[in-house]
Amino acid sequence: MHRIEVRPKPDFNDARCAGIANDIRSLGIHADVAVGVADLYFLEGEIDAAGIRAICERLLCDSVVQQFAVARLEEQKLEASLRSAQPDGLKTSFVEVTFKPGVTDATADEIVRAAHVLGIAGLHRAATGTRYELAGQLDAAQVELIARRLLCNDVIQAFAINAAVAPNLHYATEENTLIETVALRGAGDDGLMRISRERRLSLNLDEMRAIRDYFVELQREPTDAEIETLAQTWSEHCVHKTFKAKIQVDQAGKVSQVDGLLKTYIKKATDEISAPWVKSAFVDNAGIIAFDDAFDLSFKAETHNHPSAIEPFGGANTGVGGVIRDVIAVSARPIANTDVLCFGPQDVDFASLPEGVLHPRRVMQGVVAGVEDYGNKMGIPTVSGAIVYDEGYIANPLVYCGCVGIAPVNAHPRNAQVGDRVIVLGGRTGRDGLRGATFSSAALTHETSDIAGSSVQIGNPIVEKNVMEVVLAARDAKLYTAITDCGAGGLSSAVGEMGAELGVQVQLERVPLKYAGLAPWEIWLSEAQERMVLAVAPDKLDALHALCARFDCEMSDIGVFTGDSRLCVRYRNLEVCNMHMHFLHDGLPRRELRATVASQAHARRERHEQVDIAPSRLAAFTLSEARNLLQKMLAHPNVASKEKVIRLYDHEVQGGSVIKPLVGVGNHGPSDATVIKPIGTKGLKGFGLACGINPNFGKVDAYAMAVSAVDEAVRNLVCAGANPDHIALLDNFCWGDPNDPATLGTLVEACRGCYDGALLFRAPFISGKDSLNNTYLDKAGQRVSIPATLLISAIGIVDNVTCCVTMDLKQAGSRVYLLGETKDEMAGSLHEMLTGAKGDSAPSLPAHAPALYHALHSAIQQKLVLAAHDCSEGGLAVALAEMAQAGQTGVRLGSDASSITLFSESNSRIVAEVRETNAPAFEAIMRGLPVRQIGVTQPAVQIVLPDGGVLWDAQPFYNDAGDG
């Protein structure tokens, strides 16, 4: 085995070094530490010196800024070389980090593949690692702290201090045929729950009893694969037990019944709206709507919260990869990604973190890098999203990943036939991702990272890119009759769902493995990434095989659809699983839950008492107070620019972006929505993407949070030019423990708000996802839940992309209008958060909003509007400051300016800039609606109050040339 170190040349700096040095100081270590970083590569095989040099020079090292050194692993003298290189008078330690055995190392896989392309066939295996050199007055305990807190994630990595790491590339070489049985039939209630806990099944007593009774009837014990298959298929993550449960709701002593949240609220709204352009809702991997006569659009958003909490890069990376697969699984080409991320405060003290919890800064860095890595390498633009910070996300970050796809009309087949072969495309199967669905359905604890490391996957976007091209070519050639992706539950869910009506037989020994030694149940349950399952007629196999060879994609025939309605899985001649599909998919006992709903006023009283702040009316403010408050709002992490993250994502690739995530004079202003004109489509039609999210409202009133999120998502699209008659929604609920009646009560209220909001705007839900049990249980048994968080994502058709509007002010001398009513609705607002002055109510949903949005759309279509921007966090004052900063044009207000008018976050409000000559036509369109002129634009980049006081001055602006 050869070890290669690649490090910057002496005259070049590695940006990673400064970041690590800053993080070391944030650990409370105040010694000056100089950091050096080298990338490590381990190559095993029969390779001569020329081959090693070729790999280094052509694959591993950029000769302009980097240099490399090669050593045989057994010949390393690392300590001596380190001592000779350290700065004078400084003590130097080093930490080396590499992946644990079995963890996907995508870079290493690509090194082997690329070496073979170069003709170096002797390279058999590779691994990667990192060497960190710490020069400073650090003691051993401090080095250990730095290694564990900053440099290594124990879930997936191993490290060595002042010693060389040697990756374990020698996996088992013999197959594992062990099939265990689980002693279930004679177990009592305590025994059943012990089995559920020990095997991390996340099943309750009724569910365990149902499984026991089924196997009592069969007169045998279940195998390990059978009970694990049931646990994944019946998990909250896969089957949405809470949203399908019967719920008894107690609201102020009045009891009512909800016969399933999904059926009663979310799906019911879609059914009642009955939009003819909705092609598929709640039945496929993604929702589908019509785009034009030739193409359909698909849209899906997923969450990957728990994996991102314990391994941020891998969790977010595979979250993006998974939702892209969802779109591929409806036979569509992915053309846009979205990401909405929720983190704890970035400046939280390390000492205050709960045990086993990564620092929010580290979580954010890993998550953002994971999103960037997958989308950029796949060549899919990341165009829409948001970032929210709250203390409630310290132990449970939220990672919402979305994807939009396009496909020819009616190009998605859904009907597997008896005799079709079960075909697996893409990545090989390893131990990564075991029990991921049940892991995502349970609370996190201080021990999670120790016991659930195998639930985390690491993605390989290059493999998925090849899979995507094969699927799309196979779609056009009509080579498959059904398709789905391998997500939660791995093959067990993918094959089990696809064969739910027909029945299926699988031979597990045909599944390609990353390494030998996996037990049959591990092969069946693994959630290893980048795999798709297709139903293919036998006479189409040769054509599909030729496509796979063309795109360098592995293909395996692992079974057949039988027609006997049974799930039969074998490993060679051994029976691994044999169950009736009816029990697998319909045997789950329906849950019956209790919810309590506090009145909004009662909830507010409780909240005031908890924070010990007496309610007070919003008093008049001085100009100085207002200026300071607005500056605090603009600097708040939830409002401040997200440009440093947005710029990491490629939002230009594929060349379709019309309105980009950042707009304005210097392309620094936050877009309300992004607009894309899909390449290859005719005419001027495009589509917009936007979202609505505000967990602060949920802390006060979950219903208000829901209607506000729907309104914000729709409002953002309309601001950019989308047609309000052609908007579809996705719902993504992230909540705490649904078994807690109060928590479930807020979920009921949020679903009710979704229903009312969707009906008001005639915007149907086409897909959604819930992620429950986002709680952390510490050593003392204290349970901490996230803030109830609802994300509404929206996609809307833009009839003419040349009419689109951006949020930046365009010129001096225009009229500035405020559309909508401003009310004393300050509860849950940024004003309340920063001042402690409690509002009486959270924002409501005005009945006039649809008419207002239709009128604005008409004005935009007639090109009467120069700029439009929604009022959300921080209200009118923040909206005006953002518009002025982005357009480098100011505003002189002509109306009253109180706390309420400036900082209220009432819904359905939009600021519009209209050229003076277009004002009469604009006002005619708006006649009869709550619209009024509030000011005029001016050259000075300021917000000036009616009395001449300056509320806000522009921040320094620099163009691309660096000129002020």
Side-chain angles (χ1 to χ4, degrees):
M1 184 185 293
H2 293 81
R3 168 193 168 109
I4 293 96
E5 285 188 20
V6 178
R7 61 178 66 241
K9 288 182 176 179
D11 295 335
F12 290 89
N13 294 322
D14 188 332
R16 292 177 293 181
C17 300
I20 293 169
N22 279 333
D23 288 340
I24 289 172
R25 285 191 287 273
S26 69
L27 282 174
I29 299 173
H30 301 298
D32 290 331
V33 181
V35 180
V37 180
D39 296 307
L40 304 179
Y41 303 95
F42 304 91
L43 310 179
E44 184 182 72
E46 304 298 327
I47 322 170
D48 59 21
I52 291 291
R53 177 165 287 277
I55 291 172
C56 291
E57 291 179 344
R58 300 186 65 179
L59 300 179
L60 307 182
C61 181
D62 181 343
S63 61
V64 175
V65 298
Q66 292 177 310
Q67 58 190 12
F68 67 87
V70 182
R72 292 291 290 268
L73 201 59
E74 63 270 19
E75 297 174 354
Q76 296 176 70
K77 303 295 181 184
L78 299 176
E79 291 85 349
S81 66
L82 180 63
R83 282 195 297 271
S84 64
Q86 67 186 12
D88 292 340
L90 289 179
K91 177 183 177 183
T92 304
S93 300
F94 66 92
V95 179
E96 294 196 353
V97 180
T98 190
F99 287 119
K100 290 180 176 178
V103 175
T104 298
D105 190 338
T107 301
D109 293 341
E110 286 303 306
I111 291 170
V112 175
R113 185 195 63 81
H116 292 176
V117 171
L118 293 176
I120 306 170
L123 178 59
H124 303 318
R125 299 181 185 89
T128 64
T130 310
R131 175 185 171 96
Y132 301 94
E133 296 162 359
L134 310 172
Q137 300 303 321
L138 298 172
D139 58 34
Q142 290 173 321
V143 174
E144 173 93 8
L145 178 65
I146 293 168
R148 291 192 179 278
R149 286 280 193 166
L150 298 179
L151 307 181
C152 173
N153 185 344
D154 286 335
V155 173
I156 59 167
Q157 294 169 316
F159 69 91
I161 296 175
N162 295 329
V165 291
N168 182 2
L169 294 178
H170 303 284
Y171 305 118
T173 57
E174 296 182 0
E175 66 180 355
N176 182 347
T177 61
L178 178 63
I179 299 172
E180 295 183 79
T181 58
V182 182
L184 208 65
R185 288 185 295 166
D189 291 350
D190 291 342
L192 291 174
M193 293 312 297
R194 185 183 68 253
I195 292 170
S196 180
R197 288 191 301 272
E198 290 176 351
R199 298 192 75 93
R200 302 204 311 260
L201 303 178
S202 296
L203 297 175
N204 69 16
L205 181 57
D206 288 340
E207 292 155 356
M208 291 297 294
R209 286 171 174 169
I211 296 173
R212 179 194 61 192
D213 294 347
Y214 176 74
F215 285 98
V216 165
E217 186 176 337
L218 294 181
Q219 298 182 4
R220 67 176 178 86
E221 299 287 12
T223 66
D224 47 9
E226 286 172 330
I227 197 165
E228 295 284 355
T229 296
L230 286 163
Q232 304 305 304
T233 304
W234 291 7
S235 67
E236 185 77 76
H237 181 86
C238 289
V239 80
H240 315 296
K241 292 181 282 195
T242 297
F243 270 71
K244 295 178 180 178
K246 293 181 180 179
I247 303 175
Q248 184 184 76
V249 182
D250 184 339
Q251 184 166 14
K254 182 181 179 182
V255 178
S256 60
Q257 298 289 332
V258 174
D259 188 16
L261 293 172
L262 183 63
K263 181 173 70 173
T264 303
Y265 295 119
I266 308 300
K267 190 174 183 301
K268 184 179 179 182
T270 299
D271 292 341
E272 290 185 9
I273 293 167
S274 191
W277 41 268
V278 173
K279 296 293 192 72
S280 174
F282 303 108
V283 295
D284 281 308
N285 289 63
I288 303 174
I289 65 172
F291 177 68
D292 58 18
D293 292 339
F295 292 98
D296 291 334
L297 294 175
S298 52
F299 193 18
K300 177 66 176 290
E302 282 272 10
T303 53
H304 231 221
N305 304 335
H306 283 16
S308 299
I310 66 172
E311 208 306 281
F313 178 91
N317 196 244
T318 52
V320 175
V323 78
I324 291 172
R325 285 199 315 275
D326 281 330
V327 166
I328 298 171
V330 292
S331 305
R333 177 177 290 280
I335 58 173
N337 285 344
T338 70
D339 68 285
V340 175
L341 313 174
C342 301
F343 304 117
Q346 298 296 286
D347 58 354
V348 66
D349 185 0
F350 274 86
S352 68
L353 292 176
E355 185 175 351
V357 171
L358 298 175
H359 193 281
R361 188 182 306 131
R362 186 171 179 185
V363 172
M364 180 176 178
Q365 290 169 348
V367 165
V368 169
V371 172
E372 171 196 4
D373 177 81
Y374 219 101
N376 289 3
K377 287 179 179 176
M378 284 286 291
I380 302 170
T382 301
V383 296
S384 178
I387 302 178
V388 178
Y389 300 93
D390 189 280
E391 289 185 355
Y393 303 124
I394 288 176
N396 284 271
L398 304 183
V399 177
Y400 300 90
C401 303
C403 186
V404 178
I406 191 166
V409 169
N410 300 325
H412 176 47
R414 300 179 175 89
N415 298 303
Q417 303 296 312
V418 173
D420 283 352
R421 304 303 300 180
V422 181
I423 303 299
V424 177
L425 298 181
R428 292 189 159 223
T429 299
R431 285 197 173 91
D432 42 337
L434 289 174
R435 299 188 175 109
T438 49
F439 166 56
S440 295
S441 303
L444 296 177
T445 75
H446 64 284
E447 298 176 325
T448 295
S449 60
D450 296 326
I451 64 176
S454 60
S455 298
V456 175
Q457 316 107 49
I458 306 294
N460 190 336
I462 303 304
V463 172
E464 186 153 312
K465 180 73 164 64
N466 295 344
V467 172
M468 177 185 74
E469 299 299 343
V470 169
V471 169
L472 296 176
R475 175 202 69 191
D476 294 341
K478 301 187 185 306
L479 298 184
Y480 58 87
T481 58
I483 182 173
T484 192
D485 75 315
C486 269
L491 291 170
S492 74
S493 290
V495 177
E497 290 172 9
M498 191 179 287
E501 299 298 326
L502 296 178
V504 65
Q505 181 172 318
V506 172
Q507 292 295 141
L508 287 179
E509 74 275 6
R510 300 177 185 173
V511 177
L513 303 181
K514 295 179 181 179
Y515 35 82
L518 272 70
W521 81 267
E522 293 176 316
I523 300 172
W524 184 233
L525 272 295
S526 168
E527 296 178 14
Q529 296 292 293
E530 290 80 43
R531 298 177 302 158
M532 304 292 293
V533 177
L534 284 67
V536 180
D539 62 347
K540 305 287 188 181
L541 291 178
D542 288 344
L544 182 60
H545 192 276
L547 277 179
C548 289
R550 174 184 168 192
F551 288 105
D552 191 21
C553 176
E554 194 161 11
M555 164 185 160
S556 302
D557 181 344
I558 68 167
V560 63
F561 293 95
T562 58
D564 65 1
S565 298
R566 298 196 69 83
L567 176 64
C568 298
V569 183
R570 302 182 68 83
Y571 189 93
R572 302 198 187 281
N573 62 344
L574 302 174
E575 187 169 88
V576 176
C577 179
N578 189 344
M579 291 188 291
H580 200 285
M581 287 291 191
H582 175 73
F583 179 69
L584 178 62
H585 294 291
D586 301 311
L588 173 67
R590 191 177 183 191
R591 289 191 170 179
E592 296 186 7
L593 302 172
R594 289 182 56 254
T596 58
V597 177
S599 69
Q600 185 180 352
H602 179 59
R604 281 198 305 278
R605 280 198 302 274
E606 288 185 332
R607 186 161 177 253
H608 294 163
E609 291 166 2
Q610 289 168 4
V611 297
D612 196 28
I613 296 176
S616 63
R617 294 299 305 141
L618 297 168
F621 56 80
T622 66
L623 176 60
S624 175
E625 290 170 339
R627 283 178 59 92
N628 290 339
L629 179 57
L630 179 53
Q631 289 295 343
K632 288 180 180 179
M633 287 183 170
L634 293 170
H636 191 278
N638 289 347
V639 175
S641 174
K642 310 304 186 294
E643 182 174 2
K644 68 178 182 180
V645 173
I646 294 171
R647 293 293 183 197
L648 296 174
Y649 306 147
D650 190 339
H651 52 263
E652 301 281 8
V653 66
Q654 299 192 23
S657 54
V658 176
I659 294 183
K660 307 175 196 309
L662 296 168
V663 296
V665 173
N667 294 316
H668 300 308
S671 286
D672 290 300
T674 51
V675 174
I676 290 177
K677 166 73 170 68
I679 301 302
T681 59
K682 296 180 180 180
L684 296 174
K685 184 171 285 189
F687 68 89
L689 292 172
C691 67
I693 184 171
N694 193 330
N696 282 323
F697 292 155
K699 296 174 183 178
V700 178
D701 184 342
Y703 177 87
M705 175 177 66
V707 296
S708 297
V710 171
D711 187 15
E712 182 182 11
V714 171
R715 186 167 75 235
N716 283 335
L717 281 178
V718 173
C719 283
N723 184 344
D725 288 327
H726 206 147
I727 292 174
L729 306 176
L730 307 182
D731 60 278
N732 285 89
F733 294 85
C734 287
W735 241 252
D737 180 5
N739 294 303
D740 174 56
T743 298
L744 185 58
T746 62
L747 184 59
V748 171
E749 284 294 277
C751 290
R752 187 170 68 87
C754 286
Y755 173 81
D756 287 349
L759 281 188
L760 180 67
F761 293 111
R762 311 301 294 175
F765 289 101
I766 58 172
S767 183
K769 194 71 173 178
D770 57 273
S771 174
L772 308 180
N773 297 295
N774 288 280
T775 62
Y776 174 83
L777 196 64
D778 65 18
K779 256 185 173 180
Q782 287 287 106
R783 187 179 294 272
V784 180
S785 294
I786 62 164
T789 307
L790 170 64
L791 168 68
I792 297 293
S793 302
I795 184 169
I797 300 300
V798 177
D799 298 312
N800 184 344
V801 296
T802 67
C803 295
C804 287
V805 172
T806 57
M807 52 77 69
D808 48 304
L809 295 176
K810 303 299 190 299
Q811 64 180 37
S814 299
R815 295 191 187 184
V816 178
Y817 292 88
L818 176 62
L819 286 60
E821 295 179 344
T822 302
K823 302 177 182 178
D824 184 357
E825 295 176 320
M826 306 290 276
S829 68
L830 193 59
H831 181 281
E832 180 183 84
M833 184 191 306
L834 294 176
T835 67
K838 298 298 176 182
D840 283 341
S841 63
S844 56
L845 187 60
H848 63 253
L852 191 67
Y853 294 170
H854 279 86
L856 176 61
H857 179 64
S858 177
I860 289 174
Q861 291 297 102
Q862 297 177 47
K863 299 190 176 182
L864 301 178
V865 179
L866 292 175
H869 189 31
D870 87 310
C871 294
S872 53
E873 290 92 347
L876 174 64
V878 167
L880 288 173
E882 290 176 337
M883 297 176 78
Q885 180 72 28
Q888 291 296 286
T889 301
V891 178
R892 176 177 288 274
L893 297 176
S895 59
D896 66 312
S898 66
S899 280
I900 294 173
T901 57
L902 287 176
F903 302 120
S904 171
E905 296 178 16
S906 291
N907 284 319
S908 309
R909 296 183 308 145
I910 296 169
V911 179
E913 178 192 9
V914 178
R915 188 178 282 111
E916 178 68 30
T917 54
N918 290 333
F922 177 81
E923 291 177 358
I925 292 173
M926 296 293 169
R927 189 167 294 122
L929 295 169
V931 176
R932 62 192 179 99
Q933 183 183 350
I934 60 170
V936 295
T937 57
Q938 63 175 27
V941 190
Q942 299 173 325
I943 298 175
V944 182
L945 297 175
D947 62 3
V950 177
L951 178 64
W952 173 84
D953 287 295
Q955 301 301 302
F957 171 74
Y958 298 92
N959 60 27
D960 291 338
D963 302 323

